Amino acid sequence: MKKLLSLALALLMCIACVSALADTVAMDKLTLQFVPSKDADVIITGTKNLPELLKAELLKQGYDVKDIEISVGTSYEATGEAMAAGTIDIGWLPGGTYALYSDEVEVILTATRAGLSNDSTDPKTWNGEANKTLKNGPEVTFYRSLIYATPSAYGKELAAKVNAGEALTWEDLEKANWAVLKNSSSAGYIYPTLWLQDNYGKKLTDLPSAVTLSGYGEAFAQAAAEAVDIIVCYADGRNDYEAAWTLPIDQADETGKQGMGREDSIWNELNVIGVTPGIYNDTVSITKANPAVYNPEFIAAMQNALINVINTPEGQEIFSVYSHTGYAVATDSDYDGARAALKIAQ
């Protein structure tokens, strides 16, 4: 009798396994891409364990993915274009980039992050080693862009004026050499444009001297070399480049960022001269061009899988490359504000 029961139980387990396998959807490849808001090698190194973790979580959701390929776009727009064409399935897009491509891609998750110790709109309160920002605030769904004066001769003049409590004029700003990102970058273009419009009735396109860079790593390198007077970046950018700022140029920090050869602290040398309004957090978005992934079943599976991954210690470490601490299910209407901002900036 016991043998019969054991055989029956084993048979039921086999049937359950066969049924589960029959319900599993096999996928040959899933392509993921990050925008180059950090150095490409830093992103690739930081996310190297993501494919295996994501495969395991997707399998629990009923999708057996053979290969997950991770890459970094050459620009924000390059990732948007690749997703629009269907050559990239899942992309980590800032709100502004999502707004630009939201006809061709759909947001599925919004990142949450630890808020900073400072959220003041008064720029001088961000400056100096004593005002170093810490990532110890409550979980938030927004961040800010900051306008930074570099340690160039003219950058120091601008910083001194702000730190003395004086307001900058448009004439002060138009004399400066600016470095910005492409026009789909929320922190690197769109919101700095809004800041100029709100305070001076101007836009970045009104500046006589502004160079467009491919990413924030290049912006910090230009600042350290005193090649420009003003850069723009997300509010915790100095945290990310703090170690590299004072390393010799022939060394790299633990994340792979190249040393910039400065002697003084980044908090003393890179001074905030402007603070933008809040920017809705980065998205995880999905292409609409590939029906194998753009369907309610797979979207739900991917949402659950990424939420589960980021809620593990390994996942926290992986997504710390973007300062993401969690993911929340998102809808397109969450980014109506980003669309409005993009329209103004363009």
Side-chain angles (χ1 to χ4, degrees):
M1 188 64 174
K2 286 182 180 179
K3 288 183 180 180
L4 288 172
L5 286 172
S6 297
L7 287 170
L9 182 59
L11 182 60
L12 286 171
M13 290 176 67
C14 287
I15 291 170
C17 290
V18 170
S19 177
L21 288 171
D23 292 337
T24 299
V25 177
M27 296 179 68
D28 286 336
K29 186 167 76 170
L30 187 65
T31 54
L32 317 180
Q33 191 165 100
F34 293 89
V35 297
S37 57
K38 303 286 178 70
D39 297 334
D41 54 348
V42 172
I43 295 171
I44 293 297
T45 299
T47 59
K48 65 182 179 181
N49 294 328
L50 180 57
E52 293 308 313
L53 291 174
L54 193 52
K55 282 181 190 178
E57 287 297 335
L58 282 170
L59 187 59
K60 294 176 186 177
Q61 304 296 323
Y63 287 86
D64 185 6
V65 183
K66 183 178 179 181
D67 182 38
I68 294 181
E69 181 181 289
I70 293 179
S71 60
V72 179
T74 55
S75 68
Y76 292 26
E77 292 81 5
T79 298
E81 292 291 342
M83 294 184 70
T87 55
I88 294 295
D89 298 316
I90 305 291
W92 275 255
L93 302 177
T97 311
Y98 172 72
L100 188 63
Y101 291 96
S102 56
D103 287 341
E104 293 89 13
V105 306
E106 185 170 309
V107 61
I108 60 173
L109 294 169
T110 292
T112 61
R113 63 177 71 204
L116 300 178
S117 55
N118 188 359
D119 193 43
S120 171
T121 56
D122 181 357
K124 67 178 180 293
T125 68
W126 294 80
N127 297 331
E129 190 72 35
N131 293 321
K132 175 179 176 178
T133 52
L134 304 174
K135 298 181 182 183
N136 61 359
E139 290 288 298
V140 291
T141 56
F142 74 95
Y143 62 105
R144 296 183 187 275
S145 175
L146 300 179
I147 293 85
Y148 300 89
T150 77
S152 70
Y154 189 59
K156 288 178 180 177
E157 289 184 32
L158 296 174
K161 192 170 182 179
V162 167
N163 288 333
E166 298 178 47
L168 296 176
T169 66
W170 170 247
E171 289 70 28
D172 291 328
L173 296 173
E174 70 175 346
K175 291 177 187 176
N177 295 312
W178 289 61
V180 301
L181 270 62
K182 292 188 177 181
N183 66 359
S184 69
S185 170
S186 298
Y189 189 94
I190 295 170
Y191 280 78
T193 286
L194 291 179
W195 178 79
L196 285 176
Q197 186 171 65
D198 290 344
N199 290 281
Y200 305 98
K202 302 287 186 177
K203 297 182 180 180
L204 288 175
T205 50
D206 294 317
L207 293 166
S209 181
V211 295
T212 302
L213 306 179
S214 61
Y216 293 116
E218 188 179 359
F220 279 87
Q222 292 276 320
E226 301 180 20
V228 293
D229 306 311
I230 294 175
I231 66 169
V232 293
C233 183
Y234 51 89
D236 50 336
R238 289 178 297 179
N239 297 78
D240 290 341
Y241 289 88
E242 179 180 13
W245 186 258
T246 52
L247 278 176
I249 59 174
D250 60 349
Q251 296 181 25
D253 71 8
E254 62 181 11
T255 67
K257 297 184 185 73
Q258 199 65 34
M260 299 181 192
R262 302 298 301 185
E263 293 184 2
D264 198 2
S265 160
I266 196 171
W267 306 98
N268 294 332
E269 290 209 288
L270 203 58
N271 281 250
V272 177
I273 59 173
V275 183
T276 76
I279 307 167
Y280 211 74
N281 271 354
D282 295 346
T283 76
V284 180
S285 297
I286 194 165
T287 180
K288 294 181 180 179
N290 182 358
V293 299
Y294 187 58
N295 58 74
E297 294 78 19
F298 183 79
I299 288 172
M302 179 58 71
Q303 288 170 328
N304 291 335
L306 281 172
I307 289 171
N308 290 343
V309 167
I310 203 169
N311 284 332
T312 67
E314 284 180 285
Q316 287 283 308
E317 184 175 354
I318 288 169
F319 290 110
S320 67
V321 71
Y322 274 125
S323 300
H324 295 175
T325 57
Y327 289 116
V329 173
T331 61
D332 178 71
S333 61
D334 291 337
Y335 290 86
D336 285 346
R339 265 187 287 271
L342 181 65
K343 185 176 181 180
I344 292 168
Q346 292 184 327

